[in-house]
Amino acid sequence: LTAPSDRSSTCLYFSLDGAPPVTDPLLVLNGEGVNSDRPVNNVCFPSAVAPKYAPEGKSLASVTVVGLADGVSDEALASSCKTQLEGWFGESVKEWNFLRSYRIKHSQPGQTPPNGNRFERHPEVAEGMYCCGDHTGTATLNGAMESGSRTANVVIKQYSAEGKAKAGQATALSR
């Protein structure tokens, strides 16, 4: 099997005083387009969902940038993100305190549109060998679960129908 391509991302975390600007459990997506001056792909406020993620009286902001932002320091990237987010949430973003960033080289399987029927391929990659994981569906937790379920159903159907339900006969591969 050939390993799927992958995507990288950078996650930045900020502390802010008081309630977050979005108090619903939402992921706010960038509809403006991304470039080096406007790097934010999405932002959410985990403490709106789980208040213990931030000390009392504070909120936690999580910002995702697609890619590793090579050659850009954490502080410069955080500053660029804050400047962009001021346009979304107002002047209070200037007071957000940058906590930490994580540059994740293999954060998701690479899936450059258009994907067409790629997600509908049969999970059997060789006789008795099956492949499942988020790289075989949509690059999400749901995609991983759907892939596993689809693969399990194929294995059950194939081995039940053919009377080959012997332990160890099927090999499942997961990324």
Side-chain angles (χ1 to χ4, degrees):
L1 290 177
T2 303
S5 63
D6 56 28
R7 286 186 164 168
S8 57
S9 62
T10 302
C11 300
L12 299 95
Y13 294 91
F14 298 87
S15 170
L16 52 141
D17 292 330
V22 177
T23 57
D24 291 319
L26 300 173
L27 178 67
V28 180
L29 303 175
N30 176 351
E32 304 168 325
V34 174
N35 62 44
S36 60
D37 294 329
R38 303 181 68 71
V40 175
N41 185 63
N42 63 63
V43 61
C44 67
F45 301 93
S47 55
V49 176
K52 291 187 178 190
Y53 282 9
E56 186 145 344
K58 301 262 187 198
S59 293
L60 178 65
S62 172
V63 176
T64 301
V65 172
V66 175
L68 297 177
D70 291 330
V72 179
S73 72
D74 287 348
E75 291 73 21
L77 184 59
S79 177
S80 183
C81 289
K82 283 175 62 173
T83 299
Q84 181 178 359
L85 293 171
E86 281 179 52
W88 297 11
F89 303 120
E91 296 272 326
S92 66
V93 175
K94 288 181 181 178
E95 304 304 317
W96 291 12
N97 180 40
F98 172 60
L99 298 172
R100 185 175 175 113
S101 71
Y102 296 91
R103 296 177 190 240
I104 306 166
K105 187 172 182 181
H106 306 286
S107 61
Q108 271 190 326
Q111 296 180 335
T112 304
N115 291 310
N117 294 330
R118 187 177 127 183
F119 300 143
E120 298 171 15
R121 66 179 177 229
H122 198 273
E124 187 172 26
V125 295
E127 186 176 345
M129 183 179 291
Y130 301 85
C131 184
C132 60
D134 63 349
H135 65 289
T136 66
T138 56
T140 64
L141 292 174
N142 285 349
M145 297 299 289
E146 289 168 356
S147 171
S149 177
R150 184 174 53 251
T151 302
N153 288 333
V154 167
V155 169
I156 289 167
K157 182 179 178 184
Q158 190 171 32
Y159 285 93
S160 295
E162 297 176 14
K164 296 181 180 179
K166 296 178 183 172
Q169 196 166 18
T171 303
L173 300 177
S174 179
R175 180 171 188 235

